[in-house]
Amino acid sequence: MDDANPPLLGALKEKLIAAKQCWARDGRRLTGAPDIDHHRRLPPGQREVTDWPVLDLGVVPNLSTRDWSFSVGGMVERTVEWNWDQFLAQPQLSLRVDMHCVTAWSRYDNDFVGVPALRLLDVVRPLPEARFLMLHGYDGYTTNLPLADFADDDVVLAHSWQGRPISREHGGPMRLILPKLYLWKSAKWLRHITFSDRDDPGYWEQRGYHRRGDPWKEERYD
């Protein structure tokens, strides 16, 4: 992974980060009534919104598609590094999904377009012992994922939302969308994925948040 970083706009939201760590300690928004069988569309403790709230650590990469690249490494048969044109040359997937944020909002019927996660797996071919991924964003953010959750037909490396390029504030030019888990697992400004046999914690997982993050099981915090 290239260590060069694009310019970052803004500054870390230290108060927000501290508040979210308090939420983890206090068990904020936990109802104690998980919906493991998905009887309701809205997961426990969530509220429906019609906008798309902007949430980040306070820094936003000032990144254009000309400067963008994406790479994969670790426990794979084939490492890759794509520029923007190479990324767009991959098979594309359009899908409609709901999004669920651990801060308790959910937004229905989001139309995304991007490269299917299954296509990426076909290209890199994870080794048999690889069971986890670490996602790295251009803002320095990290989050861990089980390979079993990533390897699904509703997971996409997305570049478009509602028919338009994903805006910078929402993670453009490319971000992960993995709708079965809370949205903090869908890293914005995605830069690199490392495949591993270890479930190492990412940014929020080191700060009290769940290693997996299933909304219907209320896996908000450890």
Side-chain angles (χ1 to χ4, degrees):
M1 180 174 57
D2 186 357
D3 290 332
N5 287 310
L8 297 176
L9 306 177
L12 280 176
K13 299 175 181 176
E14 301 286 1
K15 290 184 178 179
L16 175 62
I17 293 168
K20 291 184 73 173
Q21 288 181 262
C22 288
W23 298 352
R25 287 194 297 270
D26 297 342
R28 186 175 184 265
R29 293 284 181 179
L30 291 176
T31 69
D35 182 13
I36 296 173
D37 295 324
H38 296 206
H39 293 298
R40 298 182 59 201
R41 185 176 184 179
L42 190 68
Q46 297 291 109
R47 69 183 188 282
E48 184 185 356
V49 301
T50 55
D51 60 341
W52 187 358
V54 177
L55 293 171
D56 52 50
L57 300 179
V59 291
V60 177
N62 187 14
L63 183 66
S64 73
T65 55
R66 294 188 305 274
D67 304 321
W68 180 91
S69 67
F70 168 71
S71 59
V72 178
M75 302 181 77
V76 294
E77 292 184 15
R78 178 189 175 194
T79 62
V80 300
E81 183 166 358
W82 290 333
N83 61 29
W84 190 249
D85 289 339
Q86 291 168 324
F87 172 67
L88 292 184
Q90 304 303 311
Q92 302 289 305
L93 173 69
S94 299
L95 76 169
R96 176 169 291 181
V97 298
D98 299 342
M99 296 188 290
H100 308 291
C101 182
V102 74
T103 59
W105 60 263
S106 294
R107 190 184 191 282
Y108 294 160
D109 296 329
N110 299 275
D111 294 318
F112 286 101
V113 180
V115 175
L118 294 178
R119 165 60 180 173
L120 182 67
L121 295 176
D122 286 343
V123 172
V124 302
R125 298 188 296 275
L127 299 178
E129 56 268 38
R131 296 174 50 231
F132 302 99
L133 292 73
M134 182 66 78
L135 310 183
H136 302 260
Y138 272 95
D139 59 342
Y141 179 77
T142 57
T143 191
N144 56 300
L145 286 177
L147 175 56
D149 286 325
F150 184 79
D152 208 342
D153 59 8
D154 64 350
V155 182
V156 65
L157 308 175
H159 57 74
S160 297
W161 174 71
Q162 309 302 70
R164 314 187 91 175
I166 295 176
S167 65
R168 179 187 296 163
E169 64 182 3
H170 286 306
M174 189 270 272
R175 64 169 297 156
L176 184 69
I177 292 296
L178 196 162
K180 69 174 67 64
L181 302 181
Y182 285 117
L183 201 56
W184 94 78
K185 293 293 188 175
S186 295
K188 299 167 72 170
W189 309 295
L190 188 56
R191 171 183 193 163
H192 180 80
I193 297 177
T194 303
F195 285 78
S196 176
D197 58 353
R198 303 191 315 270
D199 189 20
D200 294 327
Y203 184 88
W204 284 118
E205 294 81 15
Q206 295 175 41
R207 290 163 173 79
Y209 284 74
H210 200 275
R211 289 290 183 104
R212 182 162 180 258
D214 184 326
W216 286 270
K217 294 181 179 178
E218 290 200 291
E219 292 177 340
R220 297 180 189 271
Y221 317 115
D222 271 343

